[in-house]
Amino acid sequence: MELYTNLRAGEKGAWLSIGTYIFLSAIKLIIGYLGASEALRADGLNNSTDIISSIAVLIGLRISQRPPDENHQYGHLRAETVASLVASFIMMGVGLEVIYNSVMNIFDPVRETPSTLTIYVALGCALVMYIVYRYNLALSKKINSSALKAAAFDNRSDALVSVGTAIGIVAAIIGFPIIDSITALFIGIIIIKTAVEIFWEAVQTLTDAFDTEEIETLSALIKNVDGVIELVDIKGRKHGNVTFIEVTVTVNPYLNVWESHRITEKIESTVKRFDINCTALVHIEPHEEYSGKD
């Protein structure tokens, strides 16, 4: 129940991003048009694409809450990771578009002088996005959500884009329009870097990669469980914000079923104390070399 409560809490962050992007994109497009700022209009279009990314995250969180069924016996938790993957692709597309436009403008700079109002709008929007970024990042850590973490980094990228937009507008007003394009180029690189990081983390999860340090820590804890003679094998995988550990241990072959079962319960509780969202699947085997002495 706590898992699905966390996923529902994650929806608040997705909805906050969607609402903020709708509001800011409208403001930037309107003021950018009235204030003759190509940079602010481009920033507004950037936020329009972010609406799609946030909707993808929201859909992923919704699907993740579905209970296990016949075809998904581990549940639908990886839908959240798929949402992160989709968000990374959208961010890459936006980053490439920003880089392309900035390079084109370096060779053919826009000479139209924008209104000073567009500077304040860009900075104000950057502040709003930074606040949303901090909220979503804190929430993603609290509920251990990869999709919401991806959304938070997208929020941060958009805040940086707006700051860069403001710098470019100032440069255009004082007579150096090329700085607008150079700033946009660096911002595009930052967006691509963030997208690649999110993409790599999602791919690692979907291909069942697992943190070796976490495996080593769990191995040490399980080996110290009373009744465990040898840890034969341990594997781990991530499903959204849930971890599944498969453990094979050997025990005294002369224990009865009840005593062996108690050892599996000790292992499960030990793993839970390490990580409340970690579930252990324990397989018990008789220790062949055991002498039979307690």
Side-chain angles (χ1 to χ4, degrees):
M1 288 299 295
E2 182 179 359
L3 167 63
Y4 294 108
T5 300
N6 286 342
L7 290 173
R8 284 193 293 272
E11 289 186 23
K12 296 179 182 178
W15 278 115
L16 177 62
S17 293
I18 293 171
T20 304
Y21 282 134
I22 291 174
F23 175 74
L24 294 185
S25 62
I27 291 294
K28 290 175 182 178
L29 289 171
I30 293 171
I31 300 301
Y33 178 78
L34 296 176
S37 173
E38 185 66 31
L40 192 61
R41 289 200 297 270
D43 194 5
L45 291 173
N46 173 34
N47 287 160
S48 298
T49 62
D50 290 322
I51 297 172
I52 301 173
S53 176
S54 297
I55 290 175
V57 170
L58 179 62
I59 292 173
L61 290 169
R62 282 286 178 88
I63 296 174
S64 295
Q65 296 176 49
R66 294 180 181 177
D69 56 33
E70 184 178 350
N71 293 326
H72 304 85
Q73 297 185 8
Y74 283 94
H76 298 76
L77 297 169
R78 281 194 169 172
E80 185 184 354
T81 308
V82 174
S84 298
L85 199 63
V86 172
S88 72
F89 287 140
I90 295 173
M91 289 178 65
M92 286 181 192
V94 172
L96 290 172
E97 182 181 3
V98 170
I99 290 174
Y100 173 79
N101 290 334
S102 63
V103 171
M104 295 300 293
N105 288 332
I106 287 174
F107 294 101
D108 185 20
V110 177
R111 303 189 182 280
E112 190 175 10
T113 303
S115 167
T116 54
L117 174 62
T118 57
I119 300 174
Y120 300 116
V121 171
L123 291 176
C125 291
L127 178 61
V128 171
M129 285 312 309
Y130 182 77
I131 293 172
V132 174
Y133 155 67
R134 296 299 304 179
Y135 174 84
N136 280 340
L137 184 64
L139 183 58
S140 70
K141 291 180 178 178
K142 180 180 179 181
I143 66 176
N144 194 25
S145 171
S146 60
L148 195 58
K149 181 181 177 182
F153 285 142
D154 193 19
N155 298 150
R156 183 183 66 180
S157 295
D158 291 315
L160 291 172
V161 168
S162 293
V163 171
T165 298
I167 294 173
I169 293 172
V170 171
I173 290 175
I174 63 177
F176 299 97
I178 195 171
I179 295 180
D180 181 8
S181 302
I182 294 174
T183 303
L185 177 62
F186 281 111
I187 291 170
I189 293 172
I190 292 172
I191 294 173
I192 291 293
K193 178 179 179 295
T194 303
V196 169
E197 290 173 352
I198 294 171
F199 169 81
W200 181 248
E201 183 177 344
V203 168
Q204 290 287 89
T205 300
L206 291 173
T207 54
D208 286 337
F210 201 76
D211 187 358
T212 54
E213 291 185 4
E214 190 170 342
I215 281 288
E216 290 174 0
T217 302
L218 285 167
S219 297
L221 291 171
I222 293 169
K223 288 176 182 177
N224 289 328
V225 171
D226 187 30
V228 172
I229 298 177
E230 181 183 356
L231 176 61
V232 178
D233 189 30
I234 180 170
K235 300 173 183 175
R237 61 171 63 181
K238 292 281 188 179
H239 282 250
N241 60 349
V242 173
T243 302
F244 290 101
I245 301 295
E246 298 178 19
V247 180
T248 301
V249 297
T250 62
V251 299
N252 184 341
Y254 301 105
L255 296 178
N256 60 37
V257 175
W258 174 252
E259 291 169 332
S260 297
H261 178 66
R262 287 295 300 272
I263 295 174
T264 66
E265 289 181 331
K266 290 177 184 178
I267 294 173
E268 291 169 357
S269 62
T270 298
V271 170
K272 279 291 183 185
R273 284 195 298 271
F274 172 76
D275 182 357
I276 189 64
N277 293 320
C278 187
T279 299
L281 308 174
V282 184
H283 176 65
I284 295 288
E285 291 183 353
H287 192 70
E288 295 179 358
E289 298 179 0
Y290 191 72
S291 64
K293 297 179 181 180
D294 293 329

